[in-house]
């Protein structure tokens, strides 16, 4: 018996499909978009329900903003919960609202501005290691490592430094060392909750408050004057560690690859970085680096780390004139919409000038949304943009980097959109 009613429903392939899984997931969604258009349905035998895949910005707005209360997190969220517990990436309803409100102040622009010295220091340390020899650099691994250090410093500050000094290694390094994000990895990562608990206990014992995210969240209170439990704090810390490092590392990897493929863009970005004369780049220099910001934005248009957003309808709804029964999964792919020929001229072309204020036309909010959108937009979007902008500027003005990749790089569409193999580089003409 068909699970759908006789109401108006979208067209789609007759055969069952699990389009979100496997090495062909992204190409499957893209091919079906070209065949069926802005909304189509597919049937999942495993879930025994239908999925609507939508690629129209107004439909996306309906799901993520206009009627967002009717849509909970969808496919894949159970696997993420194993990894992150009940942090804001996976929690729902009033609990999510409570947690989000208490965490939000930690991501205020004034707070992020104070972190730019730490961001610069982490990149400068990485650079000094690169400059010690003319060796081949595993750029993918290095970017993963430096973005992890930055987020750990932002979360735990002096306690992270002392922990690393005491143990001789970064206890969270498995995030950079283990490529797979399976159940084995999740169990190992969850074991790090003990490390976070030790830091919390130590701060309470010493009555110590630091200028970092952990202290801000430990001190946060809801409208009733209640703080978070230790379990809640740990879940949010685990969430911020993963979300705050993997997406940024992926985007930077793609940025360097695209700069390598487009030497004219590389040259212009480098010239802009060199024009900032100060010895130490800081938050107040970012406004002098608009083109580098455009490079980042165009990179995330072509390769949005969060390539697939999933939701599930709780009650009947209508999207684009089509009936949406309860429990219907909704798939939204920023990757597809970012390359939609209706909204982007030469959509596969890397052109940072699309994001120049004098060049770009007025866009629908959901023609470009690399950090999702609506109430559940990524809480760390500004932090990530600042971090990436500073990273590119610091490297570009210090050295020239040659990417060792002549052939096209394939995509691996798992939780994040990553290159399917490490990207390697070497420095040329370094300036100490």
């Amino acid at each position: 018996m068909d699970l759908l009613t006789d109401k108006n429903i979208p067209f789609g392939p007759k055969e069952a499909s699990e389009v979100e899984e496997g090495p062909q997931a992204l190409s499957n969604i893209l091919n079906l978009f070209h065949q069926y258009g802005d909304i189509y349905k597919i049937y999942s035998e495993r879930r025994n329900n239908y999925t609507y895949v939508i690629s129209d910005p107004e439909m996306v707005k309906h799901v993520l903003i206009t009627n967002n209360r009717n849509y909970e997190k969808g496919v894949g969220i159970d696997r993420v919960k194993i990894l992150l517990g009940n942090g804001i990436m996976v929690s729902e309803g009033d609990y999510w609202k409570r947690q989000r409100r208490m965490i939000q102040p930690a991501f205020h622009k004034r707070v992020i501005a104070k972190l730019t010295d730490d961001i610069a220091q982490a990149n400068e340390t990485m650079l000094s290691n690169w400059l010690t020899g003319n060796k081949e650099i595993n750029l993918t691994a290095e970017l993963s490592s430096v973005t992890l250090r930055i987020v750990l410093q932002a979360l735990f500050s002096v306690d992270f430094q002392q922990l690393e000094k005491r143990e001789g290694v970064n206890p969270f390094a498995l995030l950079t060392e283990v490529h797979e994000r399976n159940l084995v990895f999740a169990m190992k990562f969850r074991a790090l909750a003990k490390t976070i608990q030790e830091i919390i206990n130590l701060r309470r014992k010493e009555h110590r408050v630091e200028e970092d995210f952990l202290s801000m969240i430990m001190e946060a209170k809801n409208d009733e004057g209640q703080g978070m439990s230790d379990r809640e704090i740990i879940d949010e810390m685990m969430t911020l560690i993963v979300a705050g490092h993997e997406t940024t590392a992926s985007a930077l990897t793609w940025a360097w690859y695209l700069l390598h493929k487009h030497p004219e863009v590389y040259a212009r970005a480098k010239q802009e970085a060199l024009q900032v004369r100060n010895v130490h780049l800081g938050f107040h220099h970012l406004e002098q680096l608009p083109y580098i910001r455009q490079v980042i934005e165009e990179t995330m248009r072509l390769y949005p780390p969060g390539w697939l957003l999933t939701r599930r309808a709780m009650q009947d709804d209508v999207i684009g004139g089509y009936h949406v029964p309860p429990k219907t999964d909704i798939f939204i792919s920023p990757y597809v919409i970012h390359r939609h020929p209706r909204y982007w001229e030469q959509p596969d072309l890397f052109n940072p000038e699309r994001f120049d204020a004098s060049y770009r036309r007025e866009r629908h909010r959901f023609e470009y949304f690399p950090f999702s959108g609506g109430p559940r937009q990524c809480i760390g979007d500004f932090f990530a943009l600042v971090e990436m902008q500073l990273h590119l500027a610091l490297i570009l003005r210090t050295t020239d980097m040659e990417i060792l990749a002549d052939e096209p790089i394939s995509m691996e569409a798992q939780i994040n959109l990553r290159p399917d193999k490490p990207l390697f580089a070497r420095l040329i003409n370094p300036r100490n």
Side-chain angles (χ1 to χ4, degrees):
M1 179 178 180
D2 199 320
L3 296 178
L4 294 177
T5 68
D6 59 357
K7 298 179 182 179
N8 190 30
I9 59 173
F11 292 103
K14 294 181 180 180
E15 64 276 9
S17 176
E18 309 292 344
V19 297
E20 80 280 9
E21 295 184 346
Q24 301 301 315
L26 191 56
S27 60
N28 287 344
I29 284 183
L30 196 59
N31 290 338
L32 289 169
F33 161 72
H34 288 305
Q35 184 175 356
Y36 293 102
D38 288 343
I39 181 169
Y40 59 87
K41 75 175 191 306
I42 50 179
Y43 176 67
S44 167
E45 289 184 341
R46 177 170 54 82
R47 296 191 302 275
N48 190 33
N49 74 345
Y50 279 93
T51 297
Y52 288 6
V53 184
I54 59 175
S55 301
D56 176 85
E58 195 60 31
M59 296 181 195
V60 175
K61 178 183 176 183
H62 177 85
V63 173
L64 298 185
I65 295 181
T66 308
N67 198 25
N68 73 87
R69 293 184 179 182
N70 186 50
Y71 293 91
E72 61 184 357
K73 287 278 190 169
V75 173
I77 202 63
D78 290 338
R79 286 177 289 178
V80 178
K81 280 184 177 181
I82 295 173
L83 182 64
L84 303 179
N86 203 31
I88 59 170
M89 186 180 291
V90 299
S91 56
E92 299 280 2
D94 291 340
Y95 177 79
W96 169 81
K97 291 179 184 177
R98 169 185 179 269
Q99 296 295 98
R100 175 91 182 202
R101 287 184 186 131
M102 286 198 283
I103 296 171
Q104 189 71 56
F107 289 89
H108 193 280
K109 289 185 178 182
R110 289 193 302 270
V111 178
I112 304 305
K114 294 179 181 179
L115 295 173
T116 52
D117 285 346
D118 291 332
I119 295 172
Q121 180 60 53
N123 281 285
E124 288 165 1
T125 299
M126 178 181 66
L127 258 176
S128 67
N129 292 332
W130 291 359
L131 294 168
T132 57
N134 189 26
K135 58 186 178 182
E136 192 173 280
I137 299 165
N138 184 333
L139 189 59
T140 300
E142 291 287 305
L143 293 175
S144 182
S145 180
V146 74
T147 53
L148 178 60
R149 293 192 67 83
I150 288 168
V151 74
L152 291 173
Q153 180 68 28
L155 293 178
F156 306 118
S157 62
V158 66
D159 289 290
F160 165 60
Q161 299 166 21
Q162 293 176 351
L163 181 66
E164 188 176 40
K165 184 177 181 180
R166 185 184 74 210
E167 298 192 6
V169 294
N170 179 353
F172 295 91
L174 71 101
L175 282 159
T176 68
E177 297 167 352
V178 180
H179 186 74
E180 296 296 328
R181 293 297 180 257
N182 52 27
L183 186 59
V184 174
F185 169 82
M187 294 300 101
K188 290 181 179 179
F189 180 69
R190 288 304 301 178
L192 292 169
K194 296 178 182 178
T195 301
I196 300 174
Q197 184 69 67
E198 289 172 3
I199 296 174
I200 293 171
N201 293 343
L202 183 62
R203 292 194 183 188
R204 289 210 177 101
K205 180 180 178 181
E206 297 176 352
H207 304 286
R208 178 162 51 89
V209 178
E210 301 290 344
E211 291 187 351
D212 57 24
F213 286 5
L214 175 60
S215 280
M216 293 185 72
I217 291 173
M218 287 176 66
E219 297 290 309
K221 299 290 188 293
N222 63 14
D223 295 339
E224 288 74 42
Q226 298 173 330
M228 296 186 200
S229 68
D230 285 2
R231 179 73 268 166
E232 290 168 342
I233 293 172
I234 290 170
D235 282 350
E236 302 304 349
M237 291 294 104
M238 302 290 266
T239 296
L240 294 177
I241 290 170
V242 172
H245 126 264
E246 292 199 341
T247 54
T248 306
S250 294
L252 285 175
T253 302
W254 289 117
W256 283 114
Y257 175 68
L258 289 167
L259 287 170
H260 161 70
K261 300 294 285 185
H262 299 84
E264 72 288 354
V265 176
Y266 187 109
R268 182 175 171 182
K270 185 177 188 66
Q271 184 60 35
E272 182 178 79
L274 288 170
Q275 288 175 355
V276 181
R277 300 297 184 184
N278 298 65
V279 175
H280 298 291
L281 288 178
F283 184 78
H284 57 290
H285 297 122
L286 295 178
E287 62 183 16
Q288 301 176 45
L289 303 166
Y291 189 69
I292 290 176
R293 169 73 177 254
Q294 291 167 220
V295 168
I296 295 164
E297 291 175 320
E298 177 70 344
T299 296
M300 291 193 295
R301 182 187 72 82
L302 287 172
Y303 299 104
W307 69 278
L308 182 66
L309 310 177
T310 68
R311 297 292 187 268
R312 181 170 292 130
M314 294 183 285
Q315 304 295 332
D316 282 284
D317 196 11
V318 175
I319 297 178
Y322 295 102
H323 175 229
V324 182
K327 298 184 179 180
T328 300
D329 285 312
I330 306 295
F331 285 4
I332 303 165
S333 175
Y335 179 92
V336 173
I337 297 174
H338 289 183
R339 295 171 183 250
H340 199 307
R342 187 184 305 140
Y343 311 115
W344 303 96
E345 184 179 350
Q346 294 182 285
D348 295 327
L349 179 68
F350 178 61
N351 178 18
E353 290 190 7
R354 297 179 200 272
F355 292 92
D356 182 270
S358 63
Y359 176 90
R360 62 187 176 195
R361 61 178 175 76
E362 189 67 26
R363 294 192 181 107
H364 190 288
R365 169 68 184 83
F366 290 101
E367 287 177 28
Y368 177 75
F369 54 116
F371 295 103
S372 187
R376 302 201 69 134
Q377 179 162 327
C378 174
I379 199 170
D381 54 356
F382 183 69
F383 182 23
L385 287 170
V386 168
E387 181 181 353
M388 289 188 281
Q389 201 172 356
L390 281 173
H391 165 85
L392 289 179
L394 283 162
I395 305 299
L396 285 167
R397 76 176 196 164
T398 304
T399 186
D400 291 310
M401 187 154 59
E402 180 184 14
I403 305 300
L404 306 176
D406 293 327
E407 72 283 357
I409 300 296
S410 298
M411 294 174 287
E412 179 185 81
Q414 294 190 11
I415 295 177
N416 292 316
L417 187 63
R418 308 184 291 188
D420 69 339
K421 56 187 176 183
L423 196 66
F424 289 87
R426 65 168 170 255
L427 303 186
I428 51 177
N429 302 323
R431 286 172 293 280
N432 291 289

